[in-house]
Amino acid sequence: MILDSEQETKRKLKIEPIAGSYNSYSVDEKDKRDWSGNIYLGCVAAILAIAFFS
């Protein structure tokens, strides 16, 4: 697939040297947490609690 334009994504990377090695690094990507599932679960729990106590 050929793209007409490149999209630049800004990612937060955590780069740490690996202990006991020469010129080797560990690269971890910091992801944003997706709260939509937790908010949905909280709303369902609130509705069930209201239905149970009323």
Side-chain angles (χ1 to χ4, degrees):
M1 181 176 192
I2 299 174
L3 299 175
D4 292 336
S5 63
E6 284 188 27
Q7 292 182 351
E8 189 173 317
T9 57
K10 296 185 180 185
R11 301 184 301 176
K12 294 184 178 182
L13 299 176
K14 181 180 179 186
I15 301 172
E16 296 179 345
I18 298 175
S21 66
Y22 179 74
N23 239 3
S24 297
Y25 298 92
S26 171
V27 179
D28 295 321
E29 188 170 357
K30 295 180 183 178
D31 292 329
K32 289 185 177 179
R33 188 168 186 153
D34 183 19
W35 289 96
S36 62
N38 292 342
I39 293 171
Y40 177 75
L41 182 62
C43 290
V44 170
I47 291 170
L48 289 175
I50 291 169
F52 181 75
F53 288 115
S54 61

